[in-house]
Amino acid sequence: MQLLYVFGQSNGDLGLDGNIIESTIPTTGESCVLNKKNIKFIVKGGYHTLIVLEEENYDVLYGTGVNDHGQLGLNNDGSHVYKFTEIELFTNLKKRIKIIACGFSHTFIVTEDFKCYGLGYFFEDYNNFKEIDSLDIKIIKNIKQVICGGNHTALILQNGDFYVLGDNSCLQLDDSTDNLTKFMKSKFSQPIIDIAFGYQHCLMVTKFGEVYGSGNNAPYHQLGIDNNSSEQNFTFEKIFPLKAQRVYCGYLHSFILTNDFDIYSCGWNVSGNYF
């Protein structure tokens, strides 16, 4: 029997029906519609949460939290949602979800029949689960991973190529400041094995174990670049001397896991983010 427990500060994204704005201990509501269900995925955005239930013939999507950009797909004029609510627009599609990821104000879904859907910031007609038809089927079939940052998204392919879309105001995706309104193949020339997005920064690990960073480094050095110049934004900068296997990004901080399983961190530590 599965029971869903939540804790922390809530803007509706804990699904506690608005009665509790902060839970310091793991809490489950006896009436939560997700209890005793077969949970397939749980994904968290800035202030929204989505949970995928695996039903007999298709997946059912539930959401709660902030919906100001339509990131929940609830078509409710952007109102907050304080308890887990079925996203009927997705249920009506009768599909299985292969990959789901959330950014700060958006959601990206890949279904098992190789369709992609974007909700929220940077996606048109976001409340209606409109299919993203600008992606070639060959790309969709080879998506290994979807990474969402503040307001930007990357699709990682099996061969290490990746495609990017969204906010590029700090050069986190590209070497120009133009926002990318359609998915474009990244200009980064090396195949990657891992990538992570923060709010406006990005870390990448190449197949050779080298770590590169892009985006905003100010004011907390979340890229790990200890520069004394006025330059704040960087693109595809090699930032770490050791070989690495994984990278992780929070809102304004980053972690690097080396091949020797040592952990390095940089960025904002006001809340003890680094242990």
Side-chain angles (χ1 to χ4, degrees):
M1 179 180 70
Q2 289 184 327
L3 292 177
L4 179 68
Y5 286 83
V6 297
F7 53 94
Q9 190 175 31
S10 176
N11 286 279
D13 40 333
L14 293 183
L16 295 174
D17 204 16
N19 297 319
I20 302 175
I21 61 171
E22 186 171 7
S23 176
T24 58
I25 59 173
T27 301
T28 184
E30 292 182 4
S31 61
C32 179
V33 295
L34 302 178
N35 283 336
K36 303 180 183 179
K37 300 287 187 179
N38 188 14
I39 294 176
K40 183 177 179 180
F41 298 118
I42 300 176
V43 288
K44 183 73 178 67
Y47 295 107
H48 69 291
T49 305
L50 289 165
I51 293 182
V52 180
L53 300 185
E54 190 170 23
E55 301 290 357
E56 183 176 355
N57 297 315
Y58 49 84
D59 292 339
V60 179
L61 186 62
Y62 282 80
T64 188
V66 175
N67 193 43
D68 55 343
H69 291 283
Q71 55 265 48
L72 291 176
L74 277 171
N75 200 13
N76 67 349
D77 299 321
S79 301
H80 267 52
V81 180
Y82 292 98
K83 62 181 179 180
F84 284 103
T85 303
E86 182 179 348
I87 316 297
E88 293 183 356
L89 288 171
F90 182 79
T91 302
N92 294 338
L93 296 175
K94 293 180 167 47
K95 292 179 180 287
R96 293 285 189 197
I97 292 178
K98 180 182 178 183
I99 302 172
I100 181 170
C102 292
F104 192 80
S105 299
H106 68 287
T107 303
F108 194 88
I109 295 172
V110 183
T111 58
E112 291 188 357
D113 61 345
F114 305 112
K115 306 293 185 182
C116 293
Y117 300 87
L119 302 167
Y121 198 83
F122 258 99
F123 294 103
E124 297 179 2
D125 204 16
Y126 47 68
N127 268 323
N128 291 310
F129 275 89
K130 184 178 179 180
E131 181 184 346
I132 299 172
D133 55 11
S134 59
L135 282 168
D136 189 281
I137 187 64
K138 292 181 180 178
I139 294 174
I140 300 175
K141 285 185 174 181
N142 284 286
I143 295 174
K144 181 177 72 173
Q145 190 177 10
V146 176
I147 304 295
C148 294
N151 291 306
H152 51 290
T153 302
L155 310 178
I156 318 303
L157 305 190
Q158 298 290 345
N159 65 356
D161 291 343
F162 63 105
Y163 287 73
V164 291
L165 171 143
D167 175 27
N168 191 44
S169 57
C170 295
L171 309 180
Q172 58 264 47
L173 302 177
D174 198 303
D175 56 4
S176 82
T177 55
D178 295 332
N179 292 330
L180 306 180
T181 57
K182 292 186 177 181
F183 277 105
M184 297 179 58
K185 186 176 181 180
S186 174
K187 294 179 182 178
F188 189 67
S189 59
Q190 299 186 47
I192 64 167
I193 60 171
D194 196 29
I195 184 171
F197 283 155
Y199 185 65
Q200 289 183 315
H201 73 288
C202 167
L203 295 186
M204 299 169 284
V205 183
T206 72
K207 71 175 183 178
F208 306 107
E210 297 174 329
V211 180
Y212 286 78
S214 287
N216 186 256
N217 190 52
Y220 302 109
H221 306 291
Q222 53 266 32
L223 290 178
I225 301 173
D226 189 16
N227 65 307
N228 295 316
S229 71
S230 59
E231 189 172 9
Q232 297 182 352
N233 301 325
F234 298 84
T235 303
F236 307 146
E237 189 91 4
K238 188 176 180 181
I239 63 170
F240 193 65
L242 304 179
K243 300 295 184 184
Q245 54 180 301
R246 296 295 305 273
V247 285
Y248 306 86
C249 291
Y251 191 84
L252 289 169
H253 60 282
S254 306
F255 288 87
I256 299 172
L257 177 65
T258 71
N259 286 352
D260 294 327
F261 295 95
D262 293 321
I263 298 174
Y264 289 77
S265 56
C266 54
W268 196 28
N269 192 39
V270 69
S271 298
N273 306 19
Y274 305 151
F275 313 117

Coordinates of all heavy atoms in Angstrom, one line a residue, residues 113-174:
D113 N 4.0 7.1 -27.0 CA 3.7 7.1 -28.4 C 4.5 8.2 -29.2 O 4.2 8.6 -30.3 CB 2.2 7.2 -28.8 CG 1.6 8.5 -28.3 OD1 2.2 9.2 -27.5 OD2 0.4 8.8 -28.7
F114 N 5.5 8.7 -28.5 CA 6.5 9.7 -29.0 C 5.8 11.0 -29.4 O 6.1 11.6 -30.5 CB 7.2 9.1 -30.2 CG 7.9 7.8 -29.9 CD1 7.4 6.6 -30.5 CD2 9.0 7.7 -29.1 CE1 8.1 5.4 -30.2 CE2 9.6 6.6 -28.8 CZ 9.1 5.4 -29.3
K115 N 5.0 11.6 -28.5 CA 4.5 12.9 -28.6 C 5.0 13.7 -27.5 O 5.3 13.2 -26.4 CB 2.9 12.9 -28.6 CG 2.3 12.0 -29.6 CD 2.4 12.4 -31.0 CE 1.6 11.5 -32.0 NZ 1.8 11.9 -33.4
C116 N 5.2 15.0 -27.8 CA 5.7 15.9 -26.7 C 4.7 17.0 -26.5 O 4.1 17.6 -27.4 CB 7.1 16.6 -27.2 SG 8.4 15.4 -27.3
Y117 N 4.6 17.4 -25.2 CA 3.6 18.4 -24.8 C 4.3 19.4 -23.8 O 5.1 19.0 -22.9 CB 2.4 17.8 -24.1 CG 1.6 16.9 -25.0 CD1 2.0 15.5 -25.0 CD2 0.6 17.3 -25.7 CE1 1.3 14.6 -25.8 CE2 -0.1 16.4 -26.5 CZ 0.2 15.1 -26.6 OH -0.4 14.2 -27.4
G118 N 4.1 20.7 -24.0 CA 4.7 21.7 -23.1 C 3.6 22.5 -22.5 O 2.6 22.9 -23.2
L119 N 3.7 22.8 -21.2 CA 2.7 23.6 -20.5 C 3.4 24.7 -19.7 O 4.5 24.5 -19.2 CB 2.0 22.7 -19.4 CG 1.3 21.5 -19.9 CD1 0.9 20.6 -18.8 CD2 0.0 21.9 -20.7
G120 N 2.8 25.9 -19.7 CA 3.3 27.0 -18.9 C 4.2 27.9 -19.7 O 4.1 28.1 -21.0
Y121 N 5.1 28.5 -19.0 CA 6.0 29.6 -19.6 C 6.7 29.1 -20.8 O 7.3 28.0 -20.8 CB 7.0 30.0 -18.5 CG 7.6 31.4 -18.8 CD1 6.9 32.6 -18.4 CD2 8.8 31.5 -19.3 CE1 7.5 33.8 -18.6 CE2 9.4 32.7 -19.6 CZ 8.7 33.9 -19.2 OH 9.3 35.1 -19.4
F122 N 6.7 29.9 -21.9 CA 7.4 29.7 -23.2 C 6.6 28.7 -24.1 O 7.1 28.3 -25.1 CB 8.8 29.2 -23.0 CG 9.8 30.3 -23.2 CD1 10.4 31.0 -22.1 CD2 10.2 30.7 -24.5 CE1 11.3 32.0 -22.3 CE2 11.0 31.7 -24.7 CZ 11.6 32.4 -23.6
F123 N 5.4 28.2 -23.7 CA 4.7 27.3 -24.5 C 3.3 27.9 -24.9 O 2.6 28.4 -24.0 CB 4.5 26.0 -23.9 CG 5.7 25.2 -23.7 CD1 6.3 25.1 -22.4 CD2 6.4 24.6 -24.7 CE1 7.5 24.5 -22.2 CE2 7.6 23.9 -24.5 CZ 8.1 23.8 -23.3
E124 N 3.0 28.0 -26.2 CA 1.8 28.5 -26.6 C 0.6 27.6 -26.3 O 0.7 26.4 -26.2 CB 1.8 28.7 -28.2 CG 2.9 29.7 -28.6 CD 2.8 29.8 -30.2 OE1 2.0 29.2 -30.8 OE2 3.7 30.6 -30.7
D125 N -0.6 28.3 -26.1 CA -1.8 27.5 -25.8 C -1.6 26.5 -24.7 O -2.0 25.3 -24.8 CB -2.3 26.8 -27.1 CG -3.7 26.6 -27.1 OD1 -4.4 27.1 -26.3 OD2 -4.2 25.7 -27.9
Y126 N -0.9 26.9 -23.6 CA -0.4 26.0 -22.6 C -1.4 25.2 -21.9 O -1.1 24.2 -21.3 CB 0.5 26.7 -21.6 CG 0.0 28.0 -21.1 CD1 -1.1 28.1 -20.2 CD2 0.6 29.2 -21.4 CE1 -1.6 29.2 -19.7 CE2 0.1 30.4 -20.9 CZ -1.0 30.4 -20.1 OH -1.4 31.6 -19.6
N127 N -2.7 25.7 -21.8 CA -3.7 25.0 -21.0 C -4.4 23.9 -21.8 O -5.3 23.3 -21.2 CB -4.7 26.0 -20.6 CG -4.4 26.6 -19.2 OD1 -3.9 25.9 -18.4 ND2 -4.7 27.9 -19.0
N128 N -4.0 23.6 -23.0 CA -4.7 22.7 -23.8 C -3.9 21.4 -24.2 O -4.3 20.8 -25.2 CB -5.3 23.4 -25.0 CG -6.4 24.3 -24.6 OD1 -7.3 24.0 -23.9 ND2 -6.3 25.6 -25.1
F129 N -2.8 21.2 -23.6 CA -2.0 20.0 -23.9 C -1.7 20.0 -25.4 O -2.0 19.0 -26.1 CB -2.6 18.7 -23.4 CG -2.2 18.5 -22.0 CD1 -2.9 18.9 -21.0 CD2 -1.0 17.8 -21.7 CE1 -2.6 18.7 -19.6 CE2 -0.7 17.5 -20.4 CZ -1.4 18.0 -19.3
K130 N -1.3 21.1 -26.0 CA -1.0 21.2 -27.4 C 0.3 20.5 -27.7 O 1.3 20.7 -27.1 CB -1.0 22.7 -27.9 CG -0.8 22.8 -29.4 CD -0.8 24.3 -29.7 CE -0.5 24.5 -31.2 NZ -0.5 25.9 -31.6
E131 N 0.2 19.6 -28.7 CA 1.4 18.9 -29.1 C 2.5 19.8 -29.7 O 2.1 20.7 -30.5 CB 1.1 17.8 -30.1 CG 2.2 16.9 -30.6 CD 1.9 15.9 -31.6 OE1 0.6 15.7 -31.9 OE2 2.8 15.4 -32.3
I132 N 3.7 19.6 -29.3 CA 4.8 20.4 -29.9 C 5.2 19.7 -31.2 O 5.8 18.6 -31.3 CB 6.0 20.4 -29.0 CG1 5.7 21.1 -27.7 CG2 7.2 21.1 -29.6 CD1 6.7 21.0 -26.6
D133 N 4.8 20.3 -32.3 CA 5.0 19.7 -33.6 C 6.2 20.1 -34.4 O 6.4 19.7 -35.5 CB 3.7 19.9 -34.5 CG 3.4 21.4 -34.7 OD1 4.2 22.2 -34.3 OD2 2.3 21.7 -35.2
S134 N 7.1 20.9 -33.7 CA 8.3 21.4 -34.4 C 9.5 20.4 -34.2 O 10.5 20.6 -34.8 CB 8.7 22.8 -33.8 OG 8.9 22.7 -32.4
L135 N 9.3 19.3 -33.5 CA 10.3 18.3 -33.2 C 10.2 17.2 -34.2 O 9.1 16.6 -34.3 CB 10.3 17.8 -31.8 CG 10.9 18.8 -30.7 CD1 10.5 18.3 -29.3 CD2 12.4 18.9 -30.9
D136 N 11.3 16.8 -34.8 CA 11.3 15.6 -35.7 C 11.1 14.4 -34.9 O 11.6 14.2 -33.8 CB 12.6 15.6 -36.5 CG 12.6 14.6 -37.6 OD1 12.8 13.4 -37.3 OD2 12.4 14.9 -38.8
I137 N 10.3 13.4 -35.5 CA 10.1 12.2 -34.8 C 11.3 11.4 -34.4 O 11.4 10.7 -33.4 CB 9.1 11.3 -35.6 CG1 8.7 10.0 -34.8 CG2 9.7 10.9 -36.9 CD1 7.9 10.3 -33.6
K138 N 12.4 11.6 -35.3 CA 13.7 10.9 -35.0 C 14.3 11.4 -33.7 O 14.9 10.7 -33.0 CB 14.6 11.1 -36.2 CG 14.2 10.4 -37.5 CD 15.2 10.6 -38.6 CE 14.8 9.9 -39.8 NZ 15.7 10.1 -41.0
I139 N 14.1 12.7 -33.5 CA 14.6 13.3 -32.2 C 13.8 12.8 -31.0 O 14.4 12.4 -30.0 CB 14.5 14.9 -32.3 CG1 15.5 15.4 -33.4 CG2 14.9 15.5 -30.9 CD1 15.3 16.9 -33.6
I140 N 12.5 12.8 -31.1 CA 11.7 12.4 -30.0 C 12.0 10.9 -29.6 O 12.0 10.6 -28.5 CB 10.2 12.6 -30.4 CG1 9.9 14.0 -30.7 CG2 9.3 12.1 -29.2 CD1 8.5 14.3 -31.1
K141 N 12.1 10.1 -30.6 CA 12.4 8.7 -30.3 C 13.7 8.4 -29.7 O 13.9 7.4 -29.0 CB 12.3 7.9 -31.6 CG 10.9 7.6 -32.2 CD 10.9 6.7 -33.4 CE 9.5 6.4 -33.8 NZ 9.5 5.5 -35.0
N142 N 14.6 9.4 -29.8 CA 16.0 9.2 -29.2 C 16.2 10.1 -27.9 O 17.3 10.2 -27.4 CB 17.0 9.6 -30.2 CG 17.2 8.5 -31.2 OD1 17.8 7.4 -30.9 ND2 16.7 8.7 -32.4
I143 N 15.1 10.7 -27.4 CA 15.2 11.4 -26.1 C 15.5 10.5 -25.0 O 14.8 9.5 -24.7 CB 13.9 12.2 -25.8 CG1 13.7 13.3 -26.9 CG2 14.0 12.9 -24.4 CD1 12.4 14.0 -26.8
K144 N 16.6 10.7 -24.3 CA 17.0 10.0 -23.1 C 16.6 10.6 -21.8 O 16.2 9.9 -20.9 CB 18.5 9.8 -23.1 CG 19.1 8.9 -21.9 CD 20.6 8.7 -22.0 CE 21.3 10.0 -21.7 NZ 22.8 9.7 -21.6
Q145 N 16.6 11.9 -21.8 CA 16.3 12.7 -20.6 C 15.8 14.1 -21.0 O 16.2 14.6 -22.0 CB 17.6 12.8 -19.8 CG 17.5 13.3 -18.4 CD 18.8 13.3 -17.6 OE1 19.9 13.1 -18.2 NE2 18.8 13.5 -16.3
V146 N 14.9 14.6 -20.1 CA 14.5 16.0 -20.2 C 14.9 16.7 -19.0 O 14.6 16.3 -17.9 CB 13.0 16.1 -20.4 CG1 12.5 17.5 -20.4 CG2 12.5 15.3 -21.7
I147 N 15.5 17.9 -19.1 CA 16.0 18.7 -18.0 C 15.3 20.1 -18.1 O 15.4 20.7 -19.2 CB 17.5 18.9 -18.0 CG1 18.2 17.5 -18.0 CG2 17.9 19.7 -16.8 CD1 18.0 16.7 -16.8
C148 N 14.7 20.5 -17.1 CA 14.0 21.8 -17.0 C 14.7 22.7 -16.0 O 15.0 22.3 -14.9 CB 12.5 21.7 -16.7 SG 11.6 20.9 -18.0
G149 N 15.0 24.0 -16.4 CA 15.6 24.9 -15.5 C 14.5 26.0 -15.1 O 13.3 25.7 -15.0
G150 N 15.0 27.2 -14.9 CA 14.1 28.3 -14.5 C 12.9 28.4 -15.5 O 11.8 28.1 -15.2
N151 N 13.3 28.8 -16.7 CA 12.3 28.9 -17.7 C 12.9 28.4 -19.0 O 12.7 29.0 -20.1 CB 11.8 30.4 -17.9 CG 11.0 30.8 -16.7 OD1 10.0 30.2 -16.4 ND2 11.4 31.9 -16.1
H152 N 13.7 27.4 -19.0 CA 14.3 26.8 -20.1 C 14.4 25.3 -20.0 O 14.2 24.7 -18.9 CB 15.7 27.4 -20.3 CG 16.6 27.3 -19.1 ND1 16.4 28.1 -18.0 CD2 17.7 26.6 -18.9 CE1 17.4 27.8 -17.1 NE2 18.2 26.9 -17.6
T153 N 14.5 24.6 -21.2 CA 14.4 23.2 -21.2 C 15.5 22.6 -22.2 O 15.8 23.2 -23.2 CB 13.0 22.8 -21.8 OG1 12.0 23.3 -20.9 CG2 12.8 21.3 -21.8
A154 N 16.0 21.4 -21.8 CA 16.9 20.7 -22.7 C 16.4 19.3 -22.9 O 15.9 18.6 -22.0 CB 18.3 20.7 -22.1
L155 N 16.5 18.8 -24.1 CA 16.2 17.4 -24.5 C 17.6 16.7 -24.7 O 18.3 17.1 -25.7 CB 15.3 17.3 -25.7 CG 14.1 18.2 -25.7 CD1 13.3 18.0 -27.0 CD2 13.2 17.8 -24.5
I156 N 17.9 15.7 -24.0 CA 19.2 15.0 -24.1 C 18.9 13.7 -24.9 O 18.1 12.9 -24.6 CB 19.8 14.6 -22.8 CG1 19.7 15.8 -21.8 CG2 21.2 14.2 -22.9 CD1 20.3 17.0 -22.2
L157 N 19.7 13.5 -26.0 CA 19.5 12.4 -26.9 C 20.5 11.3 -26.5 O 21.4 11.5 -25.8 CB 19.7 12.8 -28.3 CG 18.8 13.9 -28.9 CD1 18.9 14.0 -30.4 CD2 17.4 13.8 -28.4
Q158 N 20.2 10.1 -27.0 CA 21.0 8.9 -26.7 C 22.4 9.1 -27.1 O 23.3 8.5 -26.5 CB 20.4 7.7 -27.4 CG 19.0 7.3 -27.0 CD 18.9 6.8 -25.6 OE1 19.9 6.4 -25.0 NE2 17.7 6.7 -25.0
N159 N 22.7 9.8 -28.2 CA 24.1 10.0 -28.7 C 24.8 11.1 -28.1 O 26.0 11.4 -28.4 CB 24.0 10.2 -30.2 CG 23.4 11.5 -30.7 OD1 22.8 12.2 -29.8 ND2 23.4 11.7 -31.9
G160 N 24.2 11.8 -27.1 CA 24.9 12.9 -26.4 C 24.6 14.3 -26.9 O 25.0 15.3 -26.3
D161 N 23.9 14.4 -28.1 CA 23.5 15.7 -28.6 C 22.3 16.2 -27.7 O 21.7 15.4 -27.0 CB 23.0 15.6 -30.0 CG 24.1 15.3 -31.0 OD1 25.2 15.5 -30.7 OD2 23.7 14.9 -32.1
F162 N 22.1 17.5 -27.7 CA 21.0 18.0 -26.9 C 20.4 19.2 -27.6 O 21.1 20.0 -28.3 CB 21.3 18.2 -25.4 CG 22.3 19.3 -25.2 CD1 22.0 20.5 -24.7 CD2 23.7 19.0 -25.3 CE1 23.0 21.5 -24.4 CE2 24.7 19.9 -25.0 CZ 24.3 21.2 -24.5
Y163 N 19.1 19.4 -27.4 CA 18.3 20.4 -28.0 C 17.8 21.3 -26.9 O 17.4 20.8 -25.8 CB 17.2 19.9 -28.8 CG 17.6 19.3 -30.1 CD1 18.3 18.1 -30.2 CD2 17.4 19.9 -31.4 CE1 18.7 17.5 -31.4 CE2 17.9 19.4 -32.5 CZ 18.5 18.2 -32.5 OH 19.0 17.6 -33.7
V164 N 17.8 22.6 -27.1 CA 17.4 23.6 -26.0 C 16.3 24.5 -26.5 O 16.2 24.8 -27.7 CB 18.6 24.4 -25.6 CG1 19.6 23.5 -24.9 CG2 19.3 25.0 -26.8
L165 N 15.6 25.1 -25.5 CA 14.5 26.0 -25.7 C 14.3 26.9 -24.5 O 14.5 26.4 -23.4 CB 13.2 25.3 -26.1 CG 11.9 26.1 -26.2 CD1 11.0 25.5 -27.3 CD2 11.2 26.0 -24.8
G166 N 13.9 28.1 -24.7 CA 13.5 28.9 -23.6 C 14.4 30.2 -23.3 O 15.0 30.7 -24.2
D167 N 14.3 30.5 -22.0 CA 15.0 31.7 -21.5 C 16.5 31.6 -21.7 O 17.2 30.7 -21.2 CB 14.7 31.9 -20.1 CG 15.5 33.1 -19.4 OD1 15.8 34.0 -20.2 OD2 15.7 33.1 -18.2
N168 N 17.1 32.6 -22.4 CA 18.6 32.6 -22.7 C 19.2 33.9 -22.3 O 20.2 34.3 -22.7 CB 18.9 32.3 -24.1 CG 20.3 32.0 -24.4 OD1 21.0 31.3 -23.6 ND2 20.9 32.6 -25.4
S169 N 18.5 34.6 -21.4 CA 18.9 36.0 -21.0 C 20.3 36.0 -20.3 O 20.9 37.1 -20.4 CB 17.9 36.6 -20.1 OG 17.7 35.8 -18.9
C170 N 20.8 34.9 -19.8 CA 22.1 34.9 -19.1 C 23.0 34.0 -19.9 O 24.0 33.5 -19.3 CB 21.9 34.5 -17.7 SG 21.0 35.6 -16.6
L171 N 22.8 33.7 -21.1 CA 23.6 32.8 -22.0 C 23.7 31.4 -21.5 O 24.6 30.7 -21.8 CB 25.1 33.4 -22.0 CG 25.2 34.9 -22.4 CD1 26.7 35.3 -22.4 CD2 24.6 35.2 -23.7
Q172 N 22.6 31.0 -20.8 CA 22.7 29.6 -20.2 C 22.5 28.5 -21.3 O 22.8 27.4 -21.1 CB 21.6 29.4 -19.1 CG 20.2 29.7 -19.6 CD 19.8 31.1 -19.2 OE1 20.5 32.1 -19.5 NE2 18.6 31.2 -18.6
L173 N 22.0 28.9 -22.5 CA 21.7 28.0 -23.6 C 22.6 28.2 -24.8 O 22.8 27.3 -25.6 CB 20.2 28.0 -24.0 CG 19.2 27.8 -22.9 CD1 17.8 28.0 -23.5 CD2 19.3 26.4 -22.3
D174 N 23.0 29.4 -25.0 CA 23.6 29.8 -26.3 C 24.5 31.0 -26.1 O 24.5 31.6 -25.0 CB 22.4 30.2 -27.2 CG 22.8 30.1 -28.7 OD1 23.7 30.9 -29.0 OD2 22.2 29.4 -29.5

